[in-house]
Amino acid sequence: RARATTTTTTRATPTARLAGVIDVKRVTEVAGTAALEVSKSVRMRGVEAPDVDKSYVARSSALEMDEDGLPLVYDKAQIQKYWDKQGGALQRRWGEFLSLSVPFLTKVATLAITGGSAELSKNDRALAKDARIIIEKLGPTYIKAGQMMSVRPDVLPQAALDELAVLQDSVKAFETSVAIDTIESELGGPLAEFFDEISETPVAAASLAQVYRAKLKGKDEYVAVKVQRPKILDTVSKDLYVLRRAAEVYQGLIERFAPQQRTDYVGLLNEWAVGFYTELDFLNEAANQQKLRDLLMQEEVKDIYVPEVKHELCTRRILVTEWMDGVKLSDCPPEEIRELVGIGQECFLVQLLQVGFFHSDPHPGNLMKLNDPSKGKLALLDFGLVASIQQEDMDTMVSSIIHLANKDYPSLVDDFINLKILPTDCDRAKVVPLMDKALSPYVKGGGAKKYEAELKRMYNMDGSLSSTAGGFQAMTQDLLTVLNDIPFSIPPYFALLGRAVVTLEGIALLGNPDYRLVMEAYPFVARKLLREDRPEAQRALQEVLYASTQGGGSILQGRRLAVMLNSAMGIVAKSEDVFVDLETIPEDAATLDQSLKYLLQPQAASLRNLLEREAETAADLLLRQSLRKGATRLFAQLPKPPSWLPFASSLPNPLDISGPVLLPVRGSSTPAPAFASPGQLLDLAAPQLDLEEEVFAISLGDLAAGLIGKDAATVLTGDAFLEPEAIAALFLSIIATGELPIGSSQEVRQLAANARDSLRHVTPEGEESEEQSFEDLIAAVQRLDENEREVLQATTSRVISRVYDKFCDRLVPLTGGAPVAVDEVSSVALNAR
């Protein structure tokens, strides 16, 4: 946190030195003239109500008008009609905004140019107080924006935070008599008809409404009664006009000085304005609250509670909900904030990436630690501003988090194109390096202060004049490249998403100054990818788990699978620069028991489906390899006739001797008779592996050795003929686990274990063998509950059935039946025979 410091000697900063070279007065005049010209052109164009055909704000479509002619829900035509009659009032409000904001901004700019950050720090308390007073004078709209920034210790100095925090409690309440009149008018009857008691003064006063504690008529139940401020629609309507005009001035300056930029800042303001206006429709808020309450219950989000809505007592200006006792999250001790932020983060990610319906205004007053934890640890309040996101955007956001956390910036460019942040024709060679410089410091966490420190480190700005000047020049060049050569834009829904992220991250930083939003979200995204079986989620998961091969194919990476599985369980392996390391298994990785149990849970359905397909491919490949290795070695060990016999050289190869055989047929318990040689059968049933398949088989053998032990891996890969002791050790291991009837007694199991250990004591190479992981797997399976065993058994049965069907299908040329696509290698080999 930046604090003002006083020293006996001062040294001019590089920025201050510039003041002696640059004509500050001239710079100010040029900038002022440009702003004035743009402002005039904006004023001449007039102003229109925002078009919200593509708004992401969740809002009602029913239209009602207030007594002044303003619509109670956002409607462009009716708002424009109202504005057309308010020309004088709007211009006065615009003049008031300029008269308060321009002198303050001029003062800040002058201090920054003449004295740099040191001068700003020296005057931070006076500037913060001036800003707070201006915000209070400007009214509800600006107070709400100030409240949002009051929880950003990484963005603003402590003096500013202290002043903005005053805004949380400085909103002046309107008379309770006015509130009661509003309640009776809206509900259509005297207060006593609906409530047995109500607090004499509001328990909270906000910029748009104030809240009373009341007891329902004839019930021992307390509720929160939210009453809208009188004439607030008129005030907000004028403020939104002023902000739109300010946005148009800013848009004009951007178009003049950075014409390559395509961000529609007016559109961003429009989206925020629509959301702000929609917050004044309390029926819409009640519907939002009910929907999100239902969605979070449906998703089984733990420790979060959304209060019940009393719909029969709600109108567009009155909202009645279940009363909650608790403490604002931002007022809790740091250790409690750290615990509760994790709960809030999970809830927010479910809203944003799972259900596509998210709370866009989670400021400190809307997140409450509950006194009674029986309903949950954290209550979510105030649903006036809620946004909806389409599934395709959610999928792209998930993909972008994965790519950002994995530092895969080339793929992130594609995500940004899909999110309409970058155009399809952007210069990737320029974008990727700048992404690294701009986004890597953010992923490392710690908010704006540490982001600034990381940027200085990246640009070698160590504090000396020469390094600061050189680093500033390099940073300026990169900034000019962004402004002039990379035409990025910010989608309108980012106005809502950014508002939520800014607030949540700010609260998290209060509890943990090193909080890393992207990395904290990674386990949730991993769980989401492992759970969902939609094609989009499967593609994203495969992109993480598979590596490209030289032949243009892809291969499952067992190590990445282990990393992703651990990530889903909250154990993330990070590289030295804190990004996710997909090639390193965490030191505190999950145990075999934990991993197996997680794989068999419903939340791992997507991964299980993927692994089931991989298991089918792997089992079929290992079967082919084992058959070929086994048959080749078996026939190689057959006794050969002595070479001195006259007919020895003319004897046929045993592999080529045809004879009658019975072969399995898919879907039939009756084998089919055929006449074929062992070589024909081998080439059909177990086609020779190509180069990529051989590489895959080697990796499968290594994976099997690590998961189920060397003995089992030796058998699976077809090397048992070379190491017969592996078969014996594996058989003895199974007996030792008690899984076979022969091992029912403790004595037999112990004898088998001793015999196995004697076989394993020394490997053929004379080195100690690997740990007995096959027994660990059997033990882990034995510890599964009934449901988990059923899932495992069903999955295993499907894999075996499909591998058997593949085996049968390859034999169709000999057994007859329906035409089956035969592997090209098989056809060639068969013809050769």
Side-chain angles (χ1 to χ4, degrees):
R1 294 176 177 175
R3 296 182 184 273
T5 58
T6 303
T7 57
T8 55
T9 60
T10 59
R11 184 177 67 178
T13 63
T15 310
R17 291 172 186 263
L18 292 175
V21 179
I22 298 175
D23 187 342
V24 177
K25 182 178 180 182
R26 178 59 182 159
V27 171
T28 305
E29 288 177 354
V30 172
T33 300
L36 184 60
E37 290 179 6
V38 172
S39 181
K40 286 181 179 178
S41 66
V42 168
R43 188 165 61 249
M44 291 174 64
R45 286 203 306 266
V47 67
E48 293 182 353
D51 190 345
V52 294
D53 291 341
K54 297 181 180 180
S55 174
Y56 290 82
V57 177
R59 66 191 194 281
S60 170
S61 57
L63 180 62
E64 291 184 27
M65 312 293 289
D66 74 352
E67 58 275 11
D68 296 324
L70 270 170
L72 296 175
V73 298
Y74 195 92
D75 181 89
K76 176 183 177 179
Q78 294 300 325
I79 292 176
Q80 187 66 52
K81 183 178 179 181
Y82 174 83
W83 278 354
D84 289 343
K85 300 176 182 178
Q86 299 295 319
L90 292 174
Q91 292 300 332
R92 286 193 296 274
R93 184 60 170 162
W94 173 245
E96 182 182 0
F97 172 78
L98 292 178
S99 67
L100 290 170
S101 61
V102 170
F104 174 77
L105 295 175
T106 302
K107 181 179 180 180
V108 172
T110 302
L111 289 172
I113 294 174
T114 58
S117 58
E119 194 67 21
L120 287 173
S121 180
K122 180 180 177 181
N123 293 274
D124 61 355
R125 293 201 174 276
L127 290 173
K129 184 176 181 180
D130 290 345
R132 192 257 302 166
I133 292 173
I134 291 171
I135 289 173
E136 288 178 336
K137 288 181 178 179
L138 286 173
T141 309
Y142 304 90
I143 290 174
K144 202 165 184 66
Q147 289 172 339
M148 182 177 69
M149 294 306 297
S150 68
V151 291
R152 292 305 309 230
D154 58 317
V155 176
L156 298 174
Q158 187 60 43
L161 297 178
D162 293 341
E163 288 293 339
L164 291 179
V166 175
L167 296 175
Q168 298 286 354
D169 304 308
S170 68
V171 180
K172 186 178 179 181
F174 58 90
E175 293 293 331
T176 297
S177 59
V178 175
I180 292 176
D181 289 343
T182 303
I183 294 172
E184 292 180 338
S185 173
E186 290 292 310
L187 297 182
L191 191 68
E193 185 178 326
F194 309 101
F195 306 105
D196 283 336
E197 61 181 71
I198 192 169
S199 56
E200 295 183 2
T201 58
V203 294
S207 54
L208 304 183
Q210 58 194 38
V211 178
Y212 293 85
R213 187 173 188 261
K215 186 177 181 184
L216 290 178
K217 178 72 174 179
K219 297 180 180 179
D220 187 21
E221 182 178 358
Y222 285 89
V223 292
V225 182
K226 184 176 178 180
V227 185
Q228 191 172 115
R229 284 182 174 274
K231 300 292 184 180
I232 190 65
L233 268 179
D234 181 76
T235 303
V236 168
S237 180
K238 290 176 184 177
D239 285 339
L240 295 182
Y241 159 83
V242 169
L243 289 173
R244 178 184 169 92
R245 175 148 287 180
E248 289 182 327
V249 171
Y250 183 73
Q251 184 83 47
L253 291 172
I254 291 295
E255 291 172 355
R256 178 164 181 165
F257 295 108
Q260 291 297 320
Q261 293 311 297
R262 301 180 186 179
T263 298
D264 183 0
Y265 294 98
V266 175
L268 284 172
L269 187 278
N270 286 349
E271 185 73 353
W272 185 80
V274 171
F276 196 12
Y277 197 98
T278 302
E279 287 189 70
L280 299 174
D281 178 10
F282 289 175
L283 279 181
N284 190 71
E285 179 175 347
N288 289 341
Q289 185 165 339
Q290 185 64 55
K291 180 176 179 178
L292 200 51
R293 175 183 165 92
D294 294 341
L295 286 172
L296 294 181
M297 291 177 65
Q298 177 183 316
E299 295 293 325
E300 298 180 349
V301 177
K302 296 179 180 179
D303 298 321
I304 290 286
Y305 188 75
V306 176
E308 181 184 349
V309 181
K310 307 299 180 182
H311 292 281
E312 67 279 6
L313 296 175
C314 295
T315 72
R316 297 206 183 275
R317 289 175 173 154
I318 301 294
L319 178 69
V320 181
T321 60
E322 181 182 0
W323 178 261
M324 297 278 102
D325 285 310
V327 182
K328 284 196 303 185
L329 178 58
S330 57
D331 290 341
C332 294
E335 60 274 11
E336 289 187 356
I337 292 179
R338 279 194 293 272
E339 176 193 356
L340 295 174
V341 157
I343 296 170
Q345 172 188 278
E346 181 82 6
C347 176
F348 177 72
L349 291 171
V350 167
Q351 296 171 53
L352 178 64
L353 302 178
Q354 188 68 27
V355 300
F357 193 74
F358 72 93
H359 193 305
S360 301
D361 189 24
H363 68 69
N366 294 340
L367 294 168
M368 177 185 290
K369 178 197 173 186
L370 292 174
N371 292 342
D372 178 10
S374 62
K375 292 184 176 180
K377 295 181 180 179
L378 195 65
L380 195 57
L381 311 174
D382 192 354
F383 297 83
L385 183 57
V386 177
S388 297
I389 296 184
Q390 299 300 314
Q391 184 64 60
E392 60 180 345
D393 289 332
M394 287 191 283
D395 290 334
T396 306
M397 287 181 190
V398 167
S399 179
S400 64
I401 292 174
I402 289 289
H403 293 146
L404 184 55
N406 295 341
K407 211 173 184 179
D408 184 1
Y409 291 124
S411 297
L412 189 62
V413 171
D414 294 323
D415 298 328
F416 277 23
I417 290 173
N418 292 333
L419 289 171
K420 306 297 188 293
I421 297 174
L422 288 172
T424 55
D425 59 349
C426 66
D427 188 341
R428 291 172 181 263
K430 289 183 178 179
V431 170
V432 171
L434 290 172
M435 268 188 168
D436 189 3
K437 291 180 178 179
L439 297 177
S440 293
Y442 177 71
V443 175
K444 293 184 179 183
K449 293 287 193 310
K450 291 192 176 180
Y451 181 90
E452 178 186 359
E454 184 63 21
L455 278 182
K456 287 180 178 179
R457 186 194 64 79
M458 290 173 59
Y459 285 98
N460 298 316
M461 300 166 71
D462 59 12
S464 65
L465 181 60
S466 58
S467 68
T468 301
F472 184 77
Q473 183 179 4
M475 191 186 303
T476 302
Q477 184 60 50
D478 286 344
L479 179 60
L480 289 175
T481 300
V482 172
L483 292 175
N484 295 323
D485 299 337
I486 303 176
F488 69 88
S489 62
I490 302 174
Y493 63 82
F494 268 54
L496 304 174
L497 176 59
R499 177 174 173 171
V501 169
V502 161
T503 307
L504 282 173
E505 188 178 33
I507 296 173
L509 288 167
L510 294 175
N512 178 12
D514 296 320
Y515 181 77
R516 300 186 298 268
L517 178 61
V518 174
M519 299 304 294
E520 293 293 338
Y522 195 85
F524 176 89
V525 171
R527 290 195 298 274
K528 179 179 173 65
L529 293 184
L530 299 189
R531 179 178 63 247
E532 295 187 355
D533 57 1
R534 294 181 305 102
E536 294 81 5
Q538 289 282 293
R539 280 197 297 270
L541 180 60
Q542 290 174 16
E543 185 179 336
V544 175
L545 297 182
Y546 287 76
S548 300
T549 62
Q550 292 183 346
S554 60
I555 185 170
L556 178 67
Q557 300 291 291
R559 189 171 295 275
R560 289 189 178 187
L561 171 61
V563 170
M564 200 67 174
L565 192 59
N566 277 277
S567 296
M569 290 187 278
I571 309 169
V572 181
K574 302 180 181 70
S575 60
E576 292 183 359
D577 55 359
V578 308
F579 287 83
V580 174
D581 187 350
L582 287 174
E583 307 303 331
T584 302
I585 298 176
E587 292 182 2
D588 54 346
T591 64
L592 179 60
D593 277 33
Q594 292 171 327
S595 300
L596 185 59
K597 280 183 170 293
Y598 187 91
L599 275 173
L600 298 175
Q601 299 303 313
Q603 58 263 37
S606 176
L607 177 62
R608 199 164 56 247
N609 291 338
L610 184 149
L611 291 180
E612 187 174 319
R613 295 192 297 270
E614 283 295 329
E616 176 188 338
T617 301
D620 184 61
L621 188 148
L622 291 175
L623 174 64
R624 288 163 52 197
Q625 184 186 56
S626 298
L627 286 175
R628 294 199 72 85
K629 283 184 177 181
T632 301
R633 287 164 184 167
L634 175 64
F635 278 94
Q637 292 178 12
L638 290 177
K640 295 181 174 58
S643 58
W644 49 265
L645 290 176
F647 55 85
S649 59
S650 60
L651 288 176
N653 187 335
L655 282 170
D656 296 327
I657 300 175
S658 298
V661 290
L662 292 176
L663 302 176
V665 179
R666 182 204 274 218
S668 174
S669 58
T670 304
F675 194 82
S677 69
Q680 284 179 306
L681 288 175
L682 185 62
D683 286 338
L684 280 175
Q688 188 170 352
L689 275 62
D690 60 28
L691 181 59
E692 284 196 6
E693 288 176 328
E694 287 183 356
V695 173
F696 188 29
I698 292 172
S699 67
L700 286 173
D702 293 340
L703 180 63
L707 290 177
I708 58 177
K710 184 179 178 181
D711 295 330
T714 299
V715 174
L716 283 176
T717 54
D719 292 324
F721 277 97
L722 296 178
E723 299 181 41
E725 67 275 10
I727 298 179
L730 181 63
F731 181 67
L732 290 170
S733 294
I734 297 174
I735 295 175
T737 61
E739 285 294 299
L740 294 180
I742 194 175
S744 57
S745 71
Q746 179 63 34
E747 292 80 6
V748 172
R749 290 200 297 272
Q750 186 60 49
L751 183 63
N754 293 337
R756 175 206 61 208
D757 293 342
S758 65
L759 282 172
R760 282 179 164 177
H761 183 62
V762 176
T763 63
E765 293 78 17
E767 298 176 355
E768 291 188 3
S769 63
E770 296 180 358
E771 61 180 307
Q772 303 166 21
S773 52
F774 183 74
E775 293 90 312
D776 296 336
L777 177 62
I778 296 296
V781 171
Q782 290 174 331
R783 284 190 286 270
L784 297 175
D785 62 31
E786 185 177 350
N787 291 334
E788 292 163 348
R789 279 185 174 236
E790 286 180 0
V791 173
L792 179 60
Q793 184 176 1
T795 302
T796 305
S797 298
R798 286 194 298 270
V799 171
I800 293 174
S801 176
R802 287 199 286 264
V803 171
Y804 176 78
D805 288 345
K806 279 186 175 182
F807 180 80
C808 293
D809 290 345
R810 287 197 289 266
L811 295 175
V812 164
L814 292 177
T815 60
V820 178
V822 181
D823 187 88
E824 186 176 348
V825 176
S826 306
S827 300
V828 173
L830 181 63
N831 292 332
R833 288 290 176 187

